[in-house]
Amino acid sequence: MSEATATRSVPRRARRVAGRTRRALGLVRSRRDARLAFGGGTLVYLLVYMVASGALSVGRAVGFDVVVASDPLSKLLARTGPASFEPLALVDLGLARVLLAPGDLLLGATLAALVGANLALTYLAVVQPAACGIDTGAGVLAAVPALLSGTACCGPVVLLAVGVTASGALVSLFAWLVPLGALSLLASLAYVAGKIAV
Amino acid sequence: MKRTSAEPLGIDDPICVPHVDDEPGYGDLVARSLGDRIEGVSVDCETSAAAALETLDAGRVDCIVSDYQMPGWTAWRSSSAFASATPTSRSCSSRARGAMAMGRRPRDRAERRCRARGAHEPRRAFQVRMVLSGMEPISRRSVLAATASLAAGGLAGCLDSSDGGTSTRGGGTTGGDGATASGGSEPSTTPTDVGLPTRDTPFHVPDSAKRLRENVVGGGPGKDGIPSVDDPQFEPVRDVGDRINPGMPVFGVEVDDEAKAYPQYVLVWHEIANDVVGGVPLAVTYCPLTGTAMAFERGDVEFGVSGKLVNSNLVMYDRATDSRWPQVVGTAIEGDFQGASLRQVPTTWTTWKRWKVANPDGLVLTEDTGSVRNYGRDPYGDYNPTRGYYESTNFLFAPIRESDRLEPKAVVHGVRSSDGAFAASEAVLRRQRVAAGTAGSLDVVMVYDPAFAAGVAYANPDGASVEADGDRYRVDGGERVAAGDLSLQRLPSFDAMFFAWYAFYPDSEFVLEDGDATSPSEVRAR
């Protein structure tokens, strides 16, 4: 294959992968069991992300209350960390306390939807494989970097738990966890989509 | 009238400042702001890249204030154009929110920086308060030095007033070499200019500012990612109820008979409260990672959390000049105030129960901080009982130096003077009740206050004897008085984790074991 042909084939391949992924996601929409896998995966990941980022805490009796930050609109885009945003409201729901930061919710929901999609496609790849003997663990592993990013709100305190002394470079890495996590989720989505008989 | 670059600046020559921004209104505001403060400044407003280049090519430019991103114009282009137009000049830069100013400064530092970075180095954002705070008329000699910062300050103020009060969050960055944005070696702003009280003689700091700057690391959150409490609300001690657990740590400050307590469970989320106690504006600060609670006089200035750490200690910044102040040393290591030390006010780290008994008419900081946080959940651990980070021997960030003379997180009570430091183990002080030593040339005596379970330090230049008598003390055999009422000059001492104290003050005189707790007479006899 000439260089020109090889160069032209890259965007063509990308379009093919995108189309295949789109069709696979369409299959998720059309199958109830796949929709359940998507919904369940999304919800569970979102809850775990909120706990990891401190947006959700459960267990302490806090009553029922709503507290709104002063001048909330000015805080809409204010960040508390590399991948966390200033909460605008606090909602106490008996045994759960939720800090509502629109930025965190949007980020968490996006990542959760990617995880849910990965889970749904992985399920389809098991029940409707294009070929036998595939590795379907990629989607789950891809979710880990994004999950760790949720702990970056108060500095890399998670490193204390594992006894690792941080360095400037390591702290900087936390700023990349979300985009890296999102990219890896997208990549695994495309990979697993190729394993489904659409 | 434009001068050529080769001609020196005459006393009557106008100071030429092109303002480049596609929003013409900003140029008018900058022109008015500078015109009010400096004689003979001439601001030309250019709203396009082409016009800006034409102005730079046409004649002498002393300082340029520029939007750093508009059609056909970027920070790099502005830097290059300015450098080309003024080849004999030395450029520095200062960036305000969305804009930058470039002026003259020593060639070698600016050029070294430009070459290394390939573009101007963004500097700190200045507040319009600096411009409008009633600065004295500036002499023509210093006007070039001040122009860059004043221009940036005026522009920042215009942008701040137009977007409604977000001026103190998220603006600007700081260069790493500590050079100021003013020309030559003269700072453009002094503490007096902005109403910040500082010590006549700075605190002793063993490491150079450069060394400390080199060890500054990002802690995770960005500037003001940990928001200070700028409008703290209080309630009377008697109204607190069960909001605060009796064993919870609080930091107490007393000034002129007004006593205020700042609960650790609130301040752990904010680290700084800009408050007024007894009519004195104070920044009450707390760093969870080094276990230090300290109060400083702040005058007309507010302090914020920079998001940086050195020796795991909070690096504060002042909102007047963005100078950087590590909390433990209380001395600026970067910015216009580099080398100056803040005036510290004694703070008592005690428990809520003890503070409440001693100050029933006092006030306590509430959770109404303007921010929403999960107060009651400490992101680092717990103090009641001690758990997590506060108990472990792990550091989040390695300090400059370490010592194994004491457990890293063991508490010491320390004090520093202008030429030394002294610290005693809190456990030893509790057992021995009195510890004497020297902080450089200053004789110091520390006593343990059973009422607060805290140390108190005094200057003892005459070597008066201090002895415990029950839960009180006698000075030179005089009447029994409480630990906080000795007839000696009280010093602003504070608790710290040993690793942090040692990292900053390795040359301290230490009392770390029971046998070390000398008496004042033994100190005098040395």
Side-chain angles (χ1 to χ4, degrees):
Chain A
M1 181 188 291
S2 71
E3 191 178 318
T5 308
T7 307
R8 279 200 300 273
S9 74
V10 169
R12 194 181 301 152
R13 206 179 316 154
R15 279 200 298 274
R16 199 160 51 233
V17 167
R20 188 178 64 208
T21 307
R22 219 177 11 253
R23 284 193 297 277
L25 289 173
L27 197 60
V28 169
R29 216 174 26 241
S30 66
R31 287 180 61 140
R32 186 164 176 270
D33 51 354
R35 286 201 305 272
L36 278 173
F38 171 78
T42 301
L43 185 63
V44 168
Y45 185 85
L46 183 60
L47 288 174
V48 173
Y49 186 87
M50 288 176 70
V51 169
S53 64
L56 173 65
S57 61
V58 181
R60 196 161 62 102
V62 291
F64 293 87
D65 197 6
V66 176
V67 178
V68 179
S70 65
D71 197 13
L73 288 182
S74 70
K75 298 182 168 88
L76 194 61
L77 298 176
R79 287 200 293 175
T80 57
S84 57
F85 292 81
E86 181 74 26
L88 305 188
L90 178 150
V91 180
D92 283 339
L93 298 166
L95 288 175
R97 170 169 280 178
V98 181
L99 292 174
L100 293 173
D104 284 353
L105 280 175
L106 186 63
L107 204 57
T110 304
L111 294 171
L114 286 172
V115 168
N118 266 276
L119 194 64
L121 290 193
T122 303
Y123 169 75
L124 285 177
V126 169
V127 303
Q128 196 169 312
C132 295
I134 66 163
D135 172 16
T136 54
V140 174
L141 285 176
V144 172
L147 192 58
L148 279 180
S149 74
T151 64
C153 63
C154 301
V157 180
V158 67
L159 297 175
L160 281 174
V162 295
V164 174
T165 303
S167 66
L170 196 52
V171 172
S172 302
L173 183 62
F174 273 77
W176 289 98
L177 285 177
V178 167
L180 282 176
L183 280 173
S184 61
L185 284 166
L186 283 168
S188 76
L189 203 65
Y191 171 77
V192 176
K195 307 302 175 186
I196 300 171
V198 189
Chain B
M1 181 186 78
K2 297 284 195 305
R3 302 180 301 277
T4 67
S5 301
E7 294 171 358
L9 180 68
I11 192 70
D12 294 320
D13 289 335
I15 298 153
C16 302
V17 182
H19 181 268
V20 184
D21 198 307
D22 54 354
E23 294 283 341
Y26 292 146
D28 295 336
L29 288 167
V30 168
R32 268 209 307 277
S33 183
L34 288 179
D36 287 344
R37 296 290 163 214
I38 309 171
E39 279 184 277
V41 70
S42 166
V43 177
D44 293 323
C45 298
E46 311 295 354
T47 56
S48 70
L53 286 171
E54 205 176 297
T55 297
L56 287 169
D57 287 342
R60 183 162 184 152
V61 171
D62 299 302
C63 174
I64 178 171
V65 179
S66 163
D67 184 348
Y68 68 88
Q69 193 157 4
M70 67 184 216
W73 194 253
T74 63
W76 169 238
R77 197 164 189 201
S78 179
S79 309
S80 305
F82 181 82
S84 298
T86 56
T88 58
S89 79
R90 310 103 192 206
S91 60
C92 75
S93 62
S94 174
R95 191 184 85 171
R97 193 191 298 275
M100 68 175 201
M102 298 187 69
R104 293 170 174 249
R105 62 170 311 162
R107 170 186 284 271
D108 53 349
R109 275 190 287 176
E111 283 199 349
R112 199 162 59 235
R113 211 167 50 192
C114 286
R115 283 183 196 141
R117 310 284 178 175
H120 86 279
E121 176 74 6
R123 294 293 293 171
R124 47 196 172 277
F126 290 95
Q127 303 292 325
V128 70
R129 273 181 297 180
M130 189 189 76
V131 176
L132 301 178
S133 63
M135 291 174 69
E136 294 300 319
I138 301 169
S139 69
R140 187 62 74 94
R141 184 171 180 275
S142 65
V143 70
L144 282 175
T147 297
S149 52
L150 284 173
L155 189 58
C158 302
L159 290 169
D160 288 344
S161 58
S162 69
D163 65 9
T166 59
S167 60
T168 59
R169 302 292 168 86
T173 56
T174 298
D177 65 2
T180 66
S182 56
S185 59
E186 283 187 38
S188 60
T189 311
T190 67
T192 309
D193 292 338
V194 301
L196 177 67
T198 53
R199 283 171 56 91
D200 295 332
T201 52
F203 283 128
H204 168 62
V205 182
D207 289 304
S208 67
K210 182 168 185 286
R211 178 100 196 267
L212 291 175
R213 286 196 303 271
E214 285 169 354
N215 284 275
V216 168
V217 293
K223 195 178 190 185
D224 287 322
I226 297 175
S228 57
V229 183
D230 299 327
D231 185 22
Q233 302 298 308
F234 294 85
E235 62 179 341
V237 162
R238 70 182 77 87
D239 293 344
V240 166
D242 58 0
R243 169 167 74 89
I244 308 177
N245 191 291
M248 272 186 178
V250 299
F251 314 126
V253 181
E254 284 184 77
V255 177
D256 284 343
D257 294 330
E258 181 170 34
K260 286 187 170 179
Y262 303 80
Q264 185 266 351
Y265 85 96
V266 174
L267 218 50
V268 71
W269 289 101
H270 301 283
E271 300 192 0
I272 296 177
N274 291 294
D275 194 17
V276 178
V277 184
V280 179
L282 296 179
V284 180
T285 68
Y286 166 57
C287 178
L289 298 182
T290 53
T292 43
M294 305 164 75
F296 301 101
E297 288 187 40
R298 63 180 179 87
D300 298 330
V301 175
E302 286 184 347
F303 282 82
V305 179
S306 71
K308 307 290 187 187
L309 303 169
V310 61
N311 290 327
S312 291
N313 183 234
L314 151 74
V315 176
M316 311 183 291
Y317 78 96
D318 69 79
R319 293 186 176 137
T321 68
D322 201 21
S323 296
R324 300 303 167 101
W325 312 75
Q327 182 215 31
V328 166
V329 296
T331 302
I333 61 170
E334 187 173 1
D336 282 357
F337 299 157
Q338 180 175 327
S341 294
L342 298 170
R343 289 194 209 153
Q344 190 181 346
V345 170
T347 313
T348 304
W349 181 318
T350 185
T351 60
W352 168 236
K353 180 181 170 187
R354 293 172 187 276
W355 182 264
K356 189 169 61 171
V357 165
N359 298 282
D361 298 324
L363 296 172
V364 183
L365 181 70
T366 67
E367 295 175 15
D368 183 9
T369 60
S371 299
V372 168
R373 289 293 184 278
N374 190 0
Y375 297 116
R377 182 180 83 88
D378 189 322
Y380 306 102
D382 211 326
Y383 267 111
N384 188 34
T386 309
R387 274 198 304 254
Y389 173 83
Y390 309 125
E391 184 192 33
S392 83
T393 55
N394 293 335
F395 304 129
L396 201 53
F397 300 95
I400 291 176
R401 57 184 67 83
E402 297 174 44
S403 166
D404 59 2
R405 291 179 65 181
L406 208 61
E407 289 294 318
K409 308 284 177 67
V411 176
V412 296
H413 194 73
V415 65
R416 57 264 196 285
S417 67
S418 59
D419 63 351
F422 172 74
S425 155
E426 188 266 345
V428 169
L429 189 61
R430 181 167 14 95
R431 285 192 294 272
Q432 304 291 314
R433 299 290 300 278
V434 180
T438 57
S441 57
L442 179 69
D443 286 356
V444 172
V445 62
M446 273 185 191
V447 297
Y448 180 75
D449 187 345
F452 291 124
V456 185
Y458 293 91
N460 192 12
D462 299 327
S465 74
V466 178
E467 291 171 345
D469 185 347
D471 62 349
R472 297 193 164 217
Y473 295 86
R474 293 183 191 274
V475 178
D476 279 340
E479 61 172 322
R480 286 177 77 233
V481 293
D485 296 326
L486 269 57
S487 55
L488 299 169
Q489 182 196 355
R490 184 158 178 184
L491 297 171
S493 54
F494 56 100
D495 286 350
M497 293 178 185
F498 171 69
F499 85 87
W501 187 275
Y502 186 83
F504 281 111
Y505 300 109
D507 57 352
S508 289
E509 183 173 319
F510 284 108
V511 168
L512 300 179
E513 295 172 0
D514 285 335
D516 297 342
T518 53
S519 65
S521 57
E522 287 172 293
V523 170
R524 292 284 287 179
R526 286 193 209 139

